[in-house]
Amino acid sequence: MPMLNAVKRRLVETLAGLVSELHIGSDGTVASSEDGGARTLARATPTVTIIDDSSILIEGSFNTSHVYSTPIKEVYIQYKDPTTGEFVPVYRADINPFTKNAQNEVRFSFILELD
């Protein structure tokens, strides 16, 4: 039996409340459902919006004050466990490398959907 929409909505609300950081990094290894982020270059507090009963939109940006000599190769989202204080990875993607300098701003947008 599939999960009922009312329960999905509660899960989406919980996930939306948990997401607290968006990171860019220089790791660049292939992302999988079993890994976490590595080699953080910068972090931002994302904006999280509930789209519907099964999905959320997560957005964050890094302005011209973020300058790195190491190419950006990954982006990941995490939350802080209120019981342990540990950060727990939620989503990670390896991306085509690019240089983040004072002449560019970058914005990341993700839609996470519960099936």
PDB file of all heavy atoms in Angstrom, residues 9-45:
ATOM      1  N   ARG A   9       2.917  14.679   3.641  1.00  0.00           N
ATOM      2  CA  ARG A   9       2.966  16.106   3.974  1.00  0.00           C
ATOM      3  C   ARG A   9       3.706  16.324   5.288  1.00  0.00           C
ATOM      4  O   ARG A   9       4.513  17.238   5.409  1.00  0.00           O
ATOM      5  CB  ARG A   9       1.542  16.683   4.040  1.00  0.00           C
ATOM      6  CG  ARG A   9       1.460  18.133   4.450  1.00  0.00           C
ATOM      7  CD  ARG A   9       2.173  19.028   3.455  1.00  0.00           C
ATOM      8  NE  ARG A   9       2.163  20.402   3.888  1.00  0.00           N
ATOM      9  CZ  ARG A   9       2.049  21.431   3.079  1.00  0.00           C
ATOM     10  NH1 ARG A   9       1.946  21.254   1.780  1.00  0.00           N
ATOM     11  NH2 ARG A   9       2.050  22.650   3.546  1.00  0.00           N
ATOM     12  N   ARG A  10       3.434  15.482   6.290  1.00  0.00           N
ATOM     13  CA  ARG A  10       4.133  15.615   7.576  1.00  0.00           C
ATOM     14  C   ARG A  10       5.630  15.377   7.416  1.00  0.00           C
ATOM     15  O   ARG A  10       6.451  16.059   8.021  1.00  0.00           O
ATOM     16  CB  ARG A  10       3.559  14.629   8.608  1.00  0.00           C
ATOM     17  CG  ARG A  10       2.117  14.866   9.016  1.00  0.00           C
ATOM     18  CD  ARG A  10       1.925  16.144   9.822  1.00  0.00           C
ATOM     19  NE  ARG A  10       2.609  16.164  11.087  1.00  0.00           N
ATOM     20  CZ  ARG A  10       2.074  15.844  12.240  1.00  0.00           C
ATOM     21  NH1 ARG A  10       0.825  15.448  12.319  1.00  0.00           N
ATOM     22  NH2 ARG A  10       2.781  15.903  13.347  1.00  0.00           N
ATOM     23  N   LEU A  11       5.993  14.403   6.583  1.00  0.00           N
ATOM     24  CA  LEU A  11       7.405  14.142   6.325  1.00  0.00           C
ATOM     25  C   LEU A  11       8.068  15.324   5.614  1.00  0.00           C
ATOM     26  O   LEU A  11       9.192  15.705   5.943  1.00  0.00           O
ATOM     27  CB  LEU A  11       7.571  12.863   5.503  1.00  0.00           C
ATOM     28  CG  LEU A  11       7.236  11.562   6.215  1.00  0.00           C
ATOM     29  CD1 LEU A  11       7.257  10.402   5.230  1.00  0.00           C
ATOM     30  CD2 LEU A  11       8.185  11.312   7.367  1.00  0.00           C
ATOM     31  N   VAL A  12       7.364  15.907   4.648  1.00  0.00           N
ATOM     32  CA  VAL A  12       7.877  17.076   3.927  1.00  0.00           C
ATOM     33  C   VAL A  12       8.064  18.247   4.888  1.00  0.00           C
ATOM     34  O   VAL A  12       9.079  18.943   4.854  1.00  0.00           O
ATOM     35  CB  VAL A  12       6.948  17.452   2.749  1.00  0.00           C
ATOM     36  CG1 VAL A  12       7.203  18.856   2.244  1.00  0.00           C
ATOM     37  CG2 VAL A  12       7.118  16.460   1.620  1.00  0.00           C
ATOM     38  N   GLU A  13       7.102  18.474   5.763  1.00  0.00           N
ATOM     39  CA  GLU A  13       7.215  19.555   6.745  1.00  0.00           C
ATOM     40  C   GLU A  13       8.402  19.320   7.679  1.00  0.00           C
ATOM     41  O   GLU A  13       9.137  20.259   8.008  1.00  0.00           O
ATOM     42  CB  GLU A  13       5.923  19.678   7.548  1.00  0.00           C
ATOM     43  CG  GLU A  13       4.767  20.223   6.744  1.00  0.00           C
ATOM     44  CD  GLU A  13       3.425  20.123   7.456  1.00  0.00           C
ATOM     45  OE1 GLU A  13       3.354  19.517   8.557  1.00  0.00           O
ATOM     46  OE2 GLU A  13       2.437  20.647   6.908  1.00  0.00           O
ATOM     47  N   THR A  14       8.602  18.076   8.089  1.00  0.00           N
ATOM     48  CA  THR A  14       9.735  17.742   8.954  1.00  0.00           C
ATOM     49  C   THR A  14      11.051  17.990   8.228  1.00  0.00           C
ATOM     50  O   THR A  14      11.959  18.627   8.772  1.00  0.00           O
ATOM     51  CB  THR A  14       9.650  16.271   9.421  1.00  0.00           C
ATOM     52  OG1 THR A  14       8.443  16.096  10.151  1.00  0.00           O
ATOM     53  CG2 THR A  14      10.842  15.894  10.283  1.00  0.00           C
ATOM     54  N   LEU A  15      11.160  17.507   6.998  1.00  0.00           N
ATOM     55  CA  LEU A  15      12.382  17.707   6.214  1.00  0.00           C
ATOM     56  C   LEU A  15      12.645  19.194   5.988  1.00  0.00           C
ATOM     57  O   LEU A  15      13.776  19.660   6.142  1.00  0.00           O
ATOM     58  CB  LEU A  15      12.289  16.971   4.878  1.00  0.00           C
ATOM     59  CG  LEU A  15      13.514  17.076   3.970  1.00  0.00           C
ATOM     60  CD1 LEU A  15      14.764  16.545   4.665  1.00  0.00           C
ATOM     61  CD2 LEU A  15      13.263  16.322   2.678  1.00  0.00           C
ATOM     62  N   ALA A  16      11.617  19.949   5.663  1.00  0.00           N
ATOM     63  CA  ALA A  16      11.775  21.388   5.444  1.00  0.00           C
ATOM     64  C   ALA A  16      12.313  22.078   6.693  1.00  0.00           C
ATOM     65  O   ALA A  16      13.130  23.000   6.605  1.00  0.00           O
ATOM     66  CB  ALA A  16      10.454  22.015   5.023  1.00  0.00           C
ATOM     67  N   GLY A  17      11.880  21.622   7.859  1.00  0.00           N
ATOM     68  CA  GLY A  17      12.345  22.211   9.108  1.00  0.00           C
ATOM     69  C   GLY A  17      13.759  21.795   9.489  1.00  0.00           C
ATOM     70  O   GLY A  17      14.425  22.478  10.262  1.00  0.00           O
ATOM     71  N   LEU A  18      14.218  20.696   8.938  1.00  0.00           N
ATOM     72  CA  LEU A  18      15.544  20.184   9.279  1.00  0.00           C
ATOM     73  C   LEU A  18      16.664  20.809   8.454  1.00  0.00           C
ATOM     74  O   LEU A  18      17.761  21.020   8.955  1.00  0.00           O
ATOM     75  CB  LEU A  18      15.590  18.660   9.099  1.00  0.00           C
ATOM     76  CG  LEU A  18      14.778  17.821  10.074  1.00  0.00           C
ATOM     77  CD1 LEU A  18      14.835  16.355   9.666  1.00  0.00           C
ATOM     78  CD2 LEU A  18      15.281  18.004  11.487  1.00  0.00           C
ATOM     79  N   VAL A  19      16.417  21.065   7.177  1.00  0.00           N
ATOM     80  CA  VAL A  19      17.472  21.555   6.282  1.00  0.00           C
ATOM     81  C   VAL A  19      17.979  22.897   6.787  1.00  0.00           C
ATOM     82  O   VAL A  19      17.216  23.844   6.936  1.00  0.00           O
ATOM     83  CB  VAL A  19      16.948  21.668   4.830  1.00  0.00           C
ATOM     84  CG1 VAL A  19      17.967  22.364   3.952  1.00  0.00           C
ATOM     85  CG2 VAL A  19      16.613  20.291   4.283  1.00  0.00           C
ATOM     86  N   SER A  20      19.272  22.968   7.080  1.00  0.00           N
ATOM     87  CA  SER A  20      19.802  24.203   7.662  1.00  0.00           C
ATOM     88  C   SER A  20      21.045  24.754   6.975  1.00  0.00           C
ATOM     89  O   SER A  20      21.413  25.889   7.218  1.00  0.00           O
ATOM     90  CB  SER A  20      20.092  23.992   9.146  1.00  0.00           C
ATOM     91  OG  SER A  20      20.996  22.919   9.320  1.00  0.00           O
ATOM     92  N   GLU A  21      21.708  23.972   6.133  1.00  0.00           N
ATOM     93  CA  GLU A  21      22.920  24.458   5.482  1.00  0.00           C
ATOM     94  C   GLU A  21      23.027  23.955   4.051  1.00  0.00           C
ATOM     95  O   GLU A  21      22.690  22.815   3.758  1.00  0.00           O
ATOM     96  CB  GLU A  21      24.173  24.007   6.236  1.00  0.00           C
ATOM     97  CG  GLU A  21      24.357  24.673   7.564  1.00  0.00           C
ATOM     98  CD  GLU A  21      25.708  24.370   8.191  1.00  0.00           C
ATOM     99  OE1 GLU A  21      26.412  23.450   7.721  1.00  0.00           O
ATOM    100  OE2 GLU A  21      26.060  25.059   9.157  1.00  0.00           O
ATOM    101  N   LEU A  22      23.537  24.819   3.189  1.00  0.00           N
ATOM    102  CA  LEU A  22      23.860  24.482   1.808  1.00  0.00           C
ATOM    103  C   LEU A  22      25.352  24.737   1.657  1.00  0.00           C
ATOM    104  O   LEU A  22      25.828  25.820   2.009  1.00  0.00           O
ATOM    105  CB  LEU A  22      23.071  25.357   0.835  1.00  0.00           C
ATOM    106  CG  LEU A  22      23.385  25.082  -0.620  1.00  0.00           C
ATOM    107  CD1 LEU A  22      22.240  24.295  -1.242  1.00  0.00           C
ATOM    108  CD2 LEU A  22      23.590  26.358  -1.376  1.00  0.00           C
ATOM    109  N   HIS A  23      26.092  23.743   1.196  1.00  0.00           N
ATOM    110  CA  HIS A  23      27.546  23.840   1.078  1.00  0.00           C
ATOM    111  C   HIS A  23      27.987  23.733  -0.379  1.00  0.00           C
ATOM    112  O   HIS A  23      27.362  23.010  -1.160  1.00  0.00           O
ATOM    113  CB  HIS A  23      28.222  22.675   1.814  1.00  0.00           C
ATOM    114  CG  HIS A  23      28.088  22.731   3.288  1.00  0.00           C
ATOM    115  ND1 HIS A  23      29.168  22.859   4.118  1.00  0.00           N
ATOM    116  CD2 HIS A  23      27.014  22.683   4.103  1.00  0.00           C
ATOM    117  CE1 HIS A  23      28.763  22.881   5.370  1.00  0.00           C
ATOM    118  NE2 HIS A  23      27.455  22.762   5.386  1.00  0.00           N
ATOM    119  N   ILE A  24      29.078  24.421  -0.695  1.00  0.00           N
ATOM    120  CA  ILE A  24      29.793  24.155  -1.938  1.00  0.00           C
ATOM    121  C   ILE A  24      31.151  23.613  -1.528  1.00  0.00           C
ATOM    122  O   ILE A  24      31.689  23.972  -0.480  1.00  0.00           O
ATOM    123  CB  ILE A  24      29.936  25.406  -2.844  1.00  0.00           C
ATOM    124  CG1 ILE A  24      30.518  26.595  -2.079  1.00  0.00           C
ATOM    125  CG2 ILE A  24      28.614  25.741  -3.492  1.00  0.00           C
ATOM    126  CD1 ILE A  24      30.795  27.824  -2.951  1.00  0.00           C
ATOM    127  N   GLY A  25      31.672  22.696  -2.343  1.00  0.00           N
ATOM    128  CA  GLY A  25      32.925  22.060  -1.974  1.00  0.00           C
ATOM    129  C   GLY A  25      33.783  21.739  -3.169  1.00  0.00           C
ATOM    130  O   GLY A  25      33.396  21.941  -4.328  1.00  0.00           O
ATOM    131  N   SER A  26      34.966  21.186  -2.877  1.00  0.00           N
ATOM    132  CA  SER A  26      35.951  20.907  -3.914  1.00  0.00           C
ATOM    133  C   SER A  26      36.259  19.427  -4.067  1.00  0.00           C
ATOM    134  O   SER A  26      37.221  19.062  -4.712  1.00  0.00           O
ATOM    135  CB  SER A  26      37.250  21.663  -3.588  1.00  0.00           C
ATOM    136  OG  SER A  26      37.767  21.221  -2.343  1.00  0.00           O
ATOM    137  N   ASP A  27      35.442  18.559  -3.484  1.00  0.00           N
ATOM    138  CA  ASP A  27      35.731  17.126  -3.519  1.00  0.00           C
ATOM    139  C   ASP A  27      35.637  16.571  -4.940  1.00  0.00           C
ATOM    140  O   ASP A  27      36.593  16.046  -5.468  1.00  0.00           O
ATOM    141  CB  ASP A  27      34.799  16.368  -2.577  1.00  0.00           C
ATOM    142  CG  ASP A  27      35.110  14.884  -2.523  1.00  0.00           C
ATOM    143  OD1 ASP A  27      36.290  14.520  -2.633  1.00  0.00           O
ATOM    144  OD2 ASP A  27      34.176  14.087  -2.384  1.00  0.00           O
ATOM    145  N   GLY A  28      34.469  16.643  -5.548  1.00  0.00           N
ATOM    146  CA  GLY A  28      34.322  16.237  -6.942  1.00  0.00           C
ATOM    147  C   GLY A  28      34.242  14.758  -7.207  1.00  0.00           C
ATOM    148  O   GLY A  28      34.157  14.343  -8.357  1.00  0.00           O
ATOM    149  N   THR A  29      34.268  13.901  -6.171  1.00  0.00           N
ATOM    150  CA  THR A  29      34.085  12.474  -6.423  1.00  0.00           C
ATOM    151  C   THR A  29      32.628  12.229  -6.798  1.00  0.00           C
ATOM    152  O   THR A  29      31.752  13.046  -6.504  1.00  0.00           O
ATOM    153  CB  THR A  29      34.455  11.633  -5.176  1.00  0.00           C
ATOM    154  OG1 THR A  29      33.656  12.062  -4.076  1.00  0.00           O
ATOM    155  CG2 THR A  29      35.929  11.783  -4.832  1.00  0.00           C
ATOM    156  N   VAL A  30      32.373  11.107  -7.432  1.00  0.00           N
ATOM    157  CA  VAL A  30      31.019  10.790  -7.878  1.00  0.00           C
ATOM    158  C   VAL A  30      30.095  10.678  -6.663  1.00  0.00           C
ATOM    159  O   VAL A  30      30.405   9.991  -5.690  1.00  0.00           O
ATOM    160  CB  VAL A  30      31.007   9.474  -8.683  1.00  0.00           C
ATOM    161  CG1 VAL A  30      29.592   9.078  -9.064  1.00  0.00           C
ATOM    162  CG2 VAL A  30      31.863   9.625  -9.935  1.00  0.00           C
ATOM    163  N   ALA A  31      28.962  11.374  -6.719  1.00  0.00           N
ATOM    164  CA  ALA A  31      28.002  11.361  -5.620  1.00  0.00           C
ATOM    165  C   ALA A  31      27.174  10.082  -5.659  1.00  0.00           C
ATOM    166  O   ALA A  31      26.865   9.565  -6.728  1.00  0.00           O
ATOM    167  CB  ALA A  31      27.082  12.578  -5.712  1.00  0.00           C
ATOM    168  N   SER A  32      26.825   9.580  -4.474  1.00  0.00           N
ATOM    169  CA  SER A  32      25.958   8.408  -4.376  1.00  0.00           C
ATOM    170  C   SER A  32      24.989   8.621  -3.222  1.00  0.00           C
ATOM    171  O   SER A  32      25.125   9.556  -2.438  1.00  0.00           O
ATOM    172  CB  SER A  32      26.783   7.142  -4.146  1.00  0.00           C
ATOM    173  OG  SER A  32      27.227   7.083  -2.809  1.00  0.00           O
ATOM    174  N   SER A  33      24.026   7.721  -3.096  1.00  0.00           N
ATOM    175  CA  SER A  33      23.047   7.840  -2.008  1.00  0.00           C
ATOM    176  C   SER A  33      23.644   7.438  -0.664  1.00  0.00           C
ATOM    177  O   SER A  33      22.993   7.560   0.369  1.00  0.00           O
ATOM    178  CB  SER A  33      21.816   6.984  -2.316  1.00  0.00           C
ATOM    179  OG  SER A  33      22.190   5.631  -2.423  1.00  0.00           O
ATOM    180  N   GLU A  34      24.877   6.980  -0.639  1.00  0.00           N
ATOM    181  CA  GLU A  34      25.512   6.517   0.589  1.00  0.00           C
ATOM    182  C   GLU A  34      26.571   7.462   1.142  1.00  0.00           C
ATOM    183  O   GLU A  34      27.134   7.209   2.188  1.00  0.00           O
ATOM    184  CB  GLU A  34      26.164   5.141   0.354  1.00  0.00           C
ATOM    185  CG  GLU A  34      25.193   4.073  -0.084  1.00  0.00           C
ATOM    186  CD  GLU A  34      24.139   3.777   0.976  1.00  0.00           C
ATOM    187  OE1 GLU A  34      24.469   3.769   2.172  1.00  0.00           O
ATOM    188  OE2 GLU A  34      22.979   3.577   0.596  1.00  0.00           O
ATOM    189  N   ASP A  35      26.884   8.545   0.427  1.00  0.00           N
ATOM    190  CA  ASP A  35      28.001   9.383   0.870  1.00  0.00           C
ATOM    191  C   ASP A  35      27.551  10.666   1.537  1.00  0.00           C
ATOM    192  O   ASP A  35      26.366  10.976   1.621  1.00  0.00           O
ATOM    193  CB  ASP A  35      28.947   9.688  -0.290  1.00  0.00           C
ATOM    194  CG  ASP A  35      28.348  10.611  -1.341  1.00  0.00           C
ATOM    195  OD1 ASP A  35      27.276  11.189  -1.118  1.00  0.00           O
ATOM    196  OD2 ASP A  35      28.974  10.760  -2.399  1.00  0.00           O
ATOM    197  N   GLY A  36      28.509  11.405   2.008  1.00  0.00           N
ATOM    198  CA  GLY A  36      28.265  12.728   2.581  1.00  0.00           C
ATOM    199  C   GLY A  36      29.185  13.711   1.895  1.00  0.00           C
ATOM    200  O   GLY A  36      30.023  13.346   1.083  1.00  0.00           O
ATOM    201  N   GLY A  37      29.048  14.967   2.200  1.00  0.00           N
ATOM    202  CA  GLY A  37      29.884  15.991   1.586  1.00  0.00           C
ATOM    203  C   GLY A  37      31.291  15.963   2.138  1.00  0.00           C
ATOM    204  O   GLY A  37      31.565  15.400   3.183  1.00  0.00           O
ATOM    205  N   ALA A  38      32.186  16.578   1.403  1.00  0.00           N
ATOM    206  CA  ALA A  38      33.573  16.653   1.836  1.00  0.00           C
ATOM    207  C   ALA A  38      34.196  17.937   1.321  1.00  0.00           C
ATOM    208  O   ALA A  38      33.737  18.511   0.345  1.00  0.00           O
ATOM    209  CB  ALA A  38      34.349  15.449   1.314  1.00  0.00           C
ATOM    210  N   ARG A  39      35.233  18.387   1.996  1.00  0.00           N
ATOM    211  CA  ARG A  39      36.016  19.556   1.590  1.00  0.00           C
ATOM    212  C   ARG A  39      35.172  20.802   1.343  1.00  0.00           C
ATOM    213  O   ARG A  39      35.147  21.359   0.254  1.00  0.00           O
ATOM    214  CB  ARG A  39      36.851  19.219   0.361  1.00  0.00           C
ATOM    215  CG  ARG A  39      37.841  18.108   0.640  1.00  0.00           C
ATOM    216  CD  ARG A  39      38.856  17.980  -0.478  1.00  0.00           C
ATOM    217  NE  ARG A  39      39.690  16.825  -0.228  1.00  0.00           N
ATOM    218  CZ  ARG A  39      39.791  15.794  -1.053  1.00  0.00           C
ATOM    219  NH1 ARG A  39      39.165  15.796  -2.194  1.00  0.00           N
ATOM    220  NH2 ARG A  39      40.553  14.787  -0.746  1.00  0.00           N
ATOM    221  N   THR A  40      34.486  21.244   2.345  1.00  0.00           N
ATOM    222  CA  THR A  40      33.650  22.440   2.248  1.00  0.00           C
ATOM    223  C   THR A  40      34.500  23.676   1.998  1.00  0.00           C
ATOM    224  O   THR A  40      35.467  23.920   2.703  1.00  0.00           O
ATOM    225  CB  THR A  40      32.849  22.638   3.549  1.00  0.00           C
ATOM    226  OG1 THR A  40      31.959  21.549   3.703  1.00  0.00           O
ATOM    227  CG2 THR A  40      32.064  23.930   3.533  1.00  0.00           C
ATOM    228  N   LEU A  41      34.088  24.462   1.010  1.00  0.00           N
ATOM    229  CA  LEU A  41      34.706  25.761   0.762  1.00  0.00           C
ATOM    230  C   LEU A  41      33.873  26.883   1.371  1.00  0.00           C
ATOM    231  O   LEU A  41      34.403  27.870   1.852  1.00  0.00           O
ATOM    232  CB  LEU A  41      34.874  25.997  -0.739  1.00  0.00           C
ATOM    233  CG  LEU A  41      35.850  25.053  -1.445  1.00  0.00           C
ATOM    234  CD1 LEU A  41      35.805  25.282  -2.949  1.00  0.00           C
ATOM    235  CD2 LEU A  41      37.263  25.252  -0.911  1.00  0.00           C
ATOM    236  N   ALA A  42      32.550  26.732   1.312  1.00  0.00           N
ATOM    237  CA  ALA A  42      31.659  27.764   1.862  1.00  0.00           C
ATOM    238  C   ALA A  42      30.316  27.138   2.190  1.00  0.00           C
ATOM    239  O   ALA A  42      29.946  26.102   1.654  1.00  0.00           O
ATOM    240  CB  ALA A  42      31.474  28.894   0.868  1.00  0.00           C
ATOM    241  N   ARG A  43      29.586  27.819   3.063  1.00  0.00           N
ATOM    242  CA  ARG A  43      28.238  27.366   3.424  1.00  0.00           C
ATOM    243  C   ARG A  43      27.314  28.570   3.448  1.00  0.00           C
ATOM    244  O   ARG A  43      27.753  29.693   3.692  1.00  0.00           O
ATOM    245  CB  ARG A  43      28.239  26.618   4.741  1.00  0.00           C
ATOM    246  CG  ARG A  43      28.398  27.490   5.951  1.00  0.00           C
ATOM    247  CD  ARG A  43      28.643  26.693   7.210  1.00  0.00           C
ATOM    248  NE  ARG A  43      30.071  26.442   7.274  1.00  0.00           N
ATOM    249  CZ  ARG A  43      30.626  25.331   7.719  1.00  0.00           C
ATOM    250  NH1 ARG A  43      29.908  24.372   8.181  1.00  0.00           N
ATOM    251  NH2 ARG A  43      31.916  25.172   7.726  1.00  0.00           N
ATOM    252  N   ALA A  44      26.053  28.309   3.183  1.00  0.00           N
ATOM    253  CA  ALA A  44      25.028  29.353   3.210  1.00  0.00           C
ATOM    254  C   ALA A  44      23.794  28.793   3.892  1.00  0.00           C
ATOM    255  O   ALA A  44      23.570  27.581   3.893  1.00  0.00           O
ATOM    256  CB  ALA A  44      24.677  29.802   1.796  1.00  0.00           C
ATOM    257  N   THR A  45      23.008  29.672   4.470  1.00  0.00           N
ATOM    258  CA  THR A  45      21.727  29.268   5.031  1.00  0.00           C
ATOM    259  C   THR A  45      20.707  29.333   3.903  1.00  0.00           C
ATOM    260  O   THR A  45      20.459  30.407   3.358  1.00  0.00           O
ATOM    261  CB  THR A  45      21.307  30.199   6.184  1.00  0.00           C
ATOM    262  OG1 THR A  45      22.330  30.158   7.185  1.00  0.00           O
ATOM    263  CG2 THR A  45      19.980  29.759   6.783  1.00  0.00           C
TER     264      THR A  45
END
